[in-house]
């Protein structure tokens, strides 16, 4: 074996991802050394409980409950504990001690990213986080490196596997949200507390990370508009299907021309919500728990990145790619690649967003109602592109269900108009309002 320089690698966490990273690092050490140009010595693995059950057997002598000695003298620290603390403190400590960091921790990066990148910048260290958005899918490096010479206009991502699994099954089977969620929990696709996934928090963290990179702007998590999928029901799915759409939970990161809010005339919008996606769009064919990120760049055009967004061994692939990159940099020397946030574009609230909408209303079935609804829409500067009416016969009375597709409208105008429809006296119920993306 080539006599490589030896690098000390410390691993914090040996759960679903960490145990696979350790196993692969030990199994393919020689091969990874050839690729990295350095031998990667796994010096220890910190865990909470030495006796916890693990997906793979790891050498007992590598496990410790005390991360401190591992951090001292490490060249590369891999953080796979998750959560904010003690991950944040350990990473800051490792950076202070001169290590490069590899992490998959989206929650930490989305909330404390600027602090960590600043600390790394000060000592010329690097933070690698390919696994923090969309698991095994290479998307961080393409945005940071491959597209560094281009201008990203828009990213639309299916970045949460649990919600895609649920929506996909609802679409295929016509089932209700609660039934599919219960099934997903039984099968291990959803957590017992599914809030982070179904309310869009996990996708919002990834959206903040992707938008920060794509638009060279520090995007705080608080600037990401977030809506989950809990109100999506079988009727909405059915209506979407009939209209040629599928409902997907999307993370949308978009560059906007908005002279009002920025001297440069540009701003960005970052949002997570369930949206109607045309069935012929590449994102519509992302099934099960898979993820995909659709990127539109000024020169490159449309690009699609697709694959496993989670899973221990799949995510370990992205982590190990980062470990090899970190090792190469260590060997080559020089300061790390800092995060570019120089564009510093303002992130606009959801009210500024311009998109198309599908509004479903329940109205009285009587003459003049259609004209009244059209009048409210026109007063609100929302113009109708398509309209479909279905008569619903109930026990006592007959009502009509209107499905209105709009031309592009500003979100604030649309939301004011929906309020006005609700108050108009002719609308019995606003059944749903969904944005249309990707057409
Ligand atoms: P996990 O299965 O819960 O494992 C966490 C590991 O960290 C465990 O080994 C645990 O020790 C250790 N740990 C947790 N808190 C600790 C503490 N306070 N002190 C010391 N050790 C502690 O997590 P995971 O699924 O592997 O996820 C790790 C990271 O990868 C997270 O940031 C997650 O968001 C990210 N990620 C995960 C996936 C995925 O598919 N799982 C995909 C993409 C990104 P014990 O084993 O002793 O309990």
């Amino acid at each position: 074996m080539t006599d490589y320089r030896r690098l000390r690698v410390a691993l914090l966490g040996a759960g679903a991802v960490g145990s696979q990273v350790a196993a692969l690092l030990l199994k393919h050490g020689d091969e990874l050394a050839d690729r990295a140009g350095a031998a990667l010595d796994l010096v220890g693995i910190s865990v909470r409980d030495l006796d916890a059950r693990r997906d793979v057997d790891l050498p007992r002598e590598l496990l410790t409950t005390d991360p401190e000695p591992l951090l001292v003298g490490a060249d590369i620290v891999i953080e796979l504990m998750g959560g904010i603390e003690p991950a944040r403190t350990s990473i800051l400590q490792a950076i202070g001690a001169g290590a490069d960091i590899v992490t998959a921790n989206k929650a930490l990066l989305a909330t404390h990213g600027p602090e960590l990148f600043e600390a790394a910048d000060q000592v010329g260290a690097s933070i690698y986080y390919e696994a923090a958005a969309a698991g095994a899918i290479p998307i961080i490096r393409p945005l940071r490196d491959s597209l560094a010479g281009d201008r990203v206009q828009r990213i639309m991502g299916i970045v949460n596997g649990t919600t895609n699994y649920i929506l996909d099954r609802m679409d295929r089977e016509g089932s209700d949200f609660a039934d599919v969620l219960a099934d997903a929990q039984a099968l291990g696709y959803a957590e017992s507390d599914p809030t982070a996934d179904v309310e869009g928090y996990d996708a919002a963290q990834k959206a903040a990370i992707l938008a920060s990179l794509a638009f060279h702007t520090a995007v705080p998590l608080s600037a990401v508009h977030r809506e989950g999928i809990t109100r999506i029901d079988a009727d909405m799915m059915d209506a979407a299907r009939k209209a040629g759409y599928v409902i997907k939970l999307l993370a949308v990161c978009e560059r906007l021309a908005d002279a009002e809010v920025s001297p440069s005339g540009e701003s960005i919008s970052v949002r997570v919500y369930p949206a109607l996606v045309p069935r012929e769009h590449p994102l519509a064919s992302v099934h099960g728990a898979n993820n995909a990120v659709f990127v539109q760049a000024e020169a490159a055009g449309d690009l699609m990145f697709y694959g496993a967004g989670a899973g221990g061994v799949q995510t370990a692939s992205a982590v190990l790619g980062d470990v090899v990159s970190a090792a190469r940099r260590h060997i080559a020397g020089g300061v790390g690649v800092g995060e570019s946030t120089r564009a510093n574009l303002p992130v606009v609230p959801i009210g500024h967003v311009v998109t198309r909408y599908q509004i479903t209303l329940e109205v009285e079935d009587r003459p003049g109602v259609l004209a009244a609804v059209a009048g409210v829409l026109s007063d609100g500067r929302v113009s109708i592109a398509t309209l479909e009416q279905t008569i619903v016969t109930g026990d006592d009375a007959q009502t009509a269900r209107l499905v209105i597709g709009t031309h592009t409208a500003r979100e604030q105008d649309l939301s004011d108009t929906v309020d006005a429809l609700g108050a108009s006296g002719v609308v019995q119920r606003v059944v749903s309002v969904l944005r249309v993306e990707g057409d």
Side-chain angles (χ1 to χ4, degrees):
M1 188 187 141
T2 315
D3 195 14
Y4 289 120
R5 183 178 148 194
R6 310 203 79 82
L7 295 181
R8 292 168 61 84
V9 179
L11 175 60
L12 311 181
V17 185
S19 60
Q20 298 289 349
V21 166
L24 291 171
L25 203 48
L26 294 170
K27 184 173 167 200
H28 301 308
D30 290 350
E31 233 180 282
L32 293 173
D34 286 339
R35 292 177 204 162
L40 302 167
D41 292 338
L42 183 58
V43 293
I45 307 168
S46 82
V47 293
R48 240 176 337 205
D49 173 5
L50 293 176
D51 299 315
R53 219 183 62 79
R54 314 211 172 269
D55 296 343
V56 288
D57 285 335
L58 298 173
R60 178 83 186 189
E61 66 276 13
L62 285 179
L63 298 179
T64 174
T65 51
D66 181 9
E68 299 276 327
L70 298 182
L71 299 178
V72 179
D75 297 299
I76 299 168
V77 171
I78 310 171
E79 184 280 305
L80 293 169
M81 291 186 284
I84 307 301
E85 290 294 357
R88 174 183 156 273
T89 302
S90 293
I91 288 178
L92 287 172
Q93 210 176 329
I95 289 172
D100 277 339
I101 306 298
V102 174
T103 180
N105 196 332
K106 58 214 149 212
L108 181 62
L109 289 173
T111 49
H112 292 78
E115 179 193 17
L116 302 178
F117 292 124
E118 170 68 25
D121 254 6
Q122 281 185 4
V123 295
S126 277
I127 301 176
Y128 299 82
Y129 53 98
E130 185 59 74
I137 303 174
I139 183 63
I140 299 298
R141 211 168 267 110
L143 286 175
R144 182 152 75 178
D145 299 334
S146 322
L147 290 167
D150 208 331
R151 297 187 92 234
V152 173
Q153 299 296 349
R154 201 160 201 266
I155 296 176
M156 286 199 296
I158 294 173
V159 291
N160 180 272
T162 304
T163 46
N164 200 60
Y165 174 86
I166 293 172
L167 292 173
D168 190 37
R169 279 197 51 192
M170 287 174 73
D171 177 51
R172 286 170 188 234
E173 299 166 10
S175 328
D176 256 317
F177 172 78
D179 296 339
V180 182
L181 172 62
D183 216 23
Q185 286 170 316
L187 291 166
Y189 283 107
E191 305 274 344
S192 52
D193 175 0
T195 312
D197 293 321
V198 299
E199 294 294 357
Y201 290 100
D202 173 80
Q205 290 168 352
K206 292 165 181 167
I209 292 171
L210 294 176
S212 299
L213 262 181
F215 303 123
H216 308 281
T217 291
V219 176
L221 188 54
S222 56
V224 181
H225 175 86
R226 178 195 51 77
E227 293 171 32
I229 64 163
T230 50
R231 67 194 161 88
I232 305 298
D233 61 22
D235 283 351
M236 288 160 88
M237 277 288 178
D238 191 45
R241 194 179 313 105
K242 285 181 180 143
Y245 296 107
V246 59
I247 300 176
K248 295 286 188 191
L249 182 71
L250 294 186
V252 183
C253 315
E254 193 175 29
R255 191 189 289 273
L256 304 172
D258 198 335
E260 278 172 40
V261 293
S262 147
S264 71
E266 284 196 335
S267 59
I268 56 175
S269 156
V270 191
R271 51 199 199 262
V272 169
Y273 48 49
L276 295 166
V277 176
R279 290 220 165 235
E280 61 277 14
H281 192 282
L283 287 175
S285 54
V286 177
H287 298 298
N290 282 309
N291 281 197
V293 185
F294 187 75
V295 179
Q296 294 175 295
E298 200 173 271
D302 294 353
L303 304 164
M304 172 96 158
F305 301 83
Y306 169 86
V313 72
Q314 294 88 341
T315 306
S317 160
V319 171
L320 285 168
D322 279 351
V323 171
V324 169
S325 294
R328 286 178 181 153
R329 194 194 81 73
H330 239 82
I331 296 301
V335 293
V337 192
E339 290 303 292
S340 145
T341 54
R342 295 243 172 90
N344 200 17
L345 296 172
V347 190
V348 295
I350 187 76
H352 287 249
V353 168
V354 173
T355 188
R356 298 205 307 107
Y357 299 84
Q358 193 184 75
I359 309 166
T360 304
L361 305 173
E362 237 166 59
V363 297
E364 284 175 52
D365 180 28
R366 63 170 170 81
V369 166
L370 266 183
V373 167
V376 174
L377 288 164
S378 152
D379 290 348
R381 287 179 292 180
V382 177
S383 89
I384 299 174
T386 58
L387 187 141
E388 199 184 296
Q389 174 174 310
T390 320
I391 303 302
V392 183
T393 308
D395 293 342
D396 309 324
Q398 202 163 261
T399 56
R401 180 169 278 225
L402 301 181
V403 179
I404 301 165
T406 76
H407 287 295
T408 52
R410 201 172 156 96
E411 175 94 15
Q412 192 58 56
D413 291 337
L414 190 281
S415 138
D416 293 345
T417 304
V418 170
D419 289 347
L421 283 170
S424 66
V426 291
V427 172
Q428 292 178 333
R429 189 164 74 95
V430 177
V431 179
S432 67
V433 179
L434 284 168
R435 289 90 172 183
V436 180
E437 297 282 359
D439 64 344

